[in-house]
Amino acid sequence: MVQILGKDVGHTGFGMMGTNTYHSPAPQLSTGCPTLTLRLTPSCPGLTWRTTIADDKQAFSVLDAAISNNTTFWNGGELYGTPEHNSLHLCNRYFTANPRHAEKVLLSIKGGGGSQPMTIDGSRTNIRRSIDECLRILDGRKKLDIFEAARVDPKVPLEETINAIAEYVKEGKVGGIGLSEVDAATIRRAHSIHPIAAVEVELSLQSPDILTNGVATTCGELGIPIIAYSPLGRGLLTGNIATSNDIDKDDRRLHLPRFAPEVLEGNARMGAELKKIAEEKGCTAAQVAIAWARGWSGREGVGEVLPIPGATRAERVVENSKMVELSEGEWE
């Protein structure tokens, strides 16, 4: 079981952004640097960031399932939706209706968006604006356990961004500091400024980069848990996608390079292979994929790994939360 900020959060978390319910092109997060534009594609917009927003009955059933299945690390964002309806608004309504659950959940929120849509601003002024807005929306219904800038702003010294968040940690308004989409050197530098509670990066069989670029081992060395978003490869590892015909024509994943028609079938083969393993084990391909990501915890110097698949249905949360163990042969 993974511990973050001294709290047990189970072996699987919940991503409040999503990959299977967008009906528009994947948004890009501009850093203001002409050579550095980032595509914002972590785990599940499902409940707040889509054309047709889930009503509270559906959304609450998903969150109830997460709590019932000990999926108590929730990863959301000020950017996951609109200023009027995002992860924070959903949390406010949910915990207003279910105050007894607030202490069970460790809530991590990404923020720091700039004044223009899909930009980042890591200045002290804007980080304070973002955190204040998060706290205003939560309105005391739920503590802001972790705050992380959605991306590192190359125009602002890292010290300014981290120290701005640290002010709120010292005041007890925020529990800890997270990092998102960073390299090993940035993790080390940020941790020297203030202890880092968690690092959010992509990890899956299709995106294993952190295992070779120093990020995973740096987190292991420093004792920082890894929050692994998109452990299902944005659906390609579920075994339910073989061709573009298996994806709604309005699904924003079709705008991602790995879903391009000329490479999609090849990329989907891994999901088909996982499905074969899953059938032999009596589980699902998604559970095998999540188990693979989780299985890196403590291996080869890697830190603890908490996969955070997203979901828009309660039954999917239940599926994703089921603990599946892989044999050495299966894992490799």
Side-chain angles (χ1 to χ4, degrees):
M1 186 173 292
V2 177
Q3 273 205 351
I4 299 176
L5 295 177
K7 187 171 188 173
D8 290 334
V9 293
H11 52 71
T12 306
F14 178 64
M16 299 182 79
M17 183 183 165
T19 56
N20 60 347
T21 48
Y22 267 114
H23 300 296
S24 58
Q28 291 185 332
L29 187 61
S30 172
T31 61
C33 175
T35 60
L36 185 59
T37 299
L38 301 164
R39 190 172 293 276
L40 189 59
T41 54
S43 45
C44 187
L47 300 177
T48 59
W49 201 358
R50 55 179 180 168
T51 301
T52 304
I53 297 172
D55 61 27
D56 279 355
K57 182 177 180 181
Q58 177 189 348
F60 285 14
S61 72
V62 172
L63 301 180
D64 283 341
I67 288 176
S68 296
N69 289 273
N70 200 31
T71 300
T72 55
F73 179 93
W74 295 3
N75 181 269
E78 182 188 23
L79 306 171
Y80 291 0
T82 67
E84 298 76 30
H85 185 81
N86 55 47
S87 303
L88 294 151
H89 297 87
L90 175 58
C91 285
N92 176 297
R93 297 195 303 275
Y94 180 76
F95 291 115
T96 296
N98 300 277
R100 68 191 185 283
H101 291 331
E103 287 301 314
K104 300 174 185 176
V105 172
L106 196 151
L107 180 64
S108 179
I109 294 291
K110 281 186 289 296
S115 58
Q116 298 301 311
M118 303 315 298
T119 61
I120 197 73
D121 179 355
S123 68
R124 178 178 182 275
T125 297
N126 188 61
I127 292 296
R128 290 188 63 87
R129 176 212 60 77
S130 182
I131 296 176
D132 286 341
E133 179 66 1
C134 292
L135 294 173
R136 183 191 71 78
I137 297 171
L138 288 174
D139 194 27
R141 268 55 175 187
K142 175 72 188 85
K143 181 176 181 178
L144 182 54
D145 296 295
I146 294 176
F147 181 87
E148 52 183 292
R151 298 291 187 273
V152 173
D153 185 347
K155 308 181 303 300
V156 176
L158 182 64
E159 289 78 4
E160 180 175 341
T161 301
I162 298 298
N163 282 326
I165 307 172
E167 292 173 13
Y168 286 82
V169 175
K170 293 173 183 174
E171 293 170 3
K173 296 178 179 179
V174 173
I177 301 175
L179 298 175
S180 175
E181 291 285 30
V182 289
D183 60 23
T186 301
I187 296 170
R188 198 174 293 280
R189 182 176 163 197
H191 194 65
S192 71
I193 301 167
H194 187 281
I196 299 301
V199 171
E200 182 185 351
V201 282
E202 185 170 5
L203 175 63
S204 74
L205 276 159
Q206 289 200 330
S207 300
D209 296 1
I210 69 163
L211 303 175
T212 56
N213 64 13
V215 166
T217 51
T218 297
C219 287
E221 176 191 339
L222 299 177
I224 303 172
I226 296 166
I227 308 304
Y229 75 75
S230 293
L232 302 180
R234 298 179 176 85
L236 285 172
L237 298 176
T238 63
N240 297 324
I241 297 174
T243 71
S244 58
N245 293 329
D246 297 319
I247 305 174
D248 188 276
K249 63 181 178 61
D250 293 324
D251 194 309
R252 64 99 177 169
R253 287 177 294 177
L254 293 175
H255 297 271
L256 300 175
R258 74 182 72 178
F259 286 85
E262 63 272 18
V263 299
L264 177 56
E265 290 190 35
N267 287 338
R269 290 193 191 108
M270 189 175 290
E273 291 301 314
L274 291 184
K275 202 166 189 177
K276 293 178 184 177
I277 295 173
E279 288 171 353
E280 294 175 359
K281 292 181 70 67
C283 64
T284 67
Q287 290 168 341
V288 173
I290 293 168
W292 180 87
R294 185 190 304 116
W296 275 100
S297 291
R299 279 181 187 262
E300 300 177 21
V302 174
E304 286 191 301
V305 177
L306 184 73
I308 54 166
T312 58
R313 293 180 298 173
E315 57 266 32
R316 195 65 64 225
V317 175
V318 175
E319 175 189 347
N320 292 343
S321 66
K322 184 177 179 181
M323 188 71 167
V324 171
E325 298 284 355
L326 300 181
S327 67
E328 283 299 314
E330 292 167 338
W331 189 83
E332 292 174 359

